[in-house]
């Protein structure tokens, strides 16, 4: 959970988790507040590949 809708609060952690193979981008979705497309992430199911 984040305290605000600010991307800067989650971006560093998402980058770290992507580099470790914990999450991956699975698509894009239009943001209802900004109208811009944003990445949608999903948890990588195969835990054997995680560092």
């Amino acid at each position: 959970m984040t305290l605000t809708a600010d991307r800067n609060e989650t971006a560093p952690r998402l980058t770290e988790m992507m580099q470790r193979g914990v999450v991956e981008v699975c698509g894009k979705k239009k943001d209802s507040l900004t109208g811009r497309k944003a990445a949608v992430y999903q948890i990588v199911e195969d835990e054997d590949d995680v560092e």
Side-chain angles (χ1 to χ4, degrees), residues 16-32:
E16 177 186 325
M17 290 189 295
M18 283 186 60
Q19 290 171 345
R20 291 186 60 222
V22 176
V23 297
E24 64 187 4
V25 176
C26 64
K28 298 229 177 213
K29 183 177 180 182
K30 186 175 180 181
D31 184 289
S32 60

Side-chain angles (χ1 to χ4, degrees), residues 27-43:
K28 298 229 177 213
K29 183 177 180 182
K30 186 175 180 181
D31 184 289
S32 60
L33 294 175
T34 65
R36 298 178 68 176
K37 286 191 176 182
V40 177
Y41 296 87
Q42 69 180 8
I43 296 171

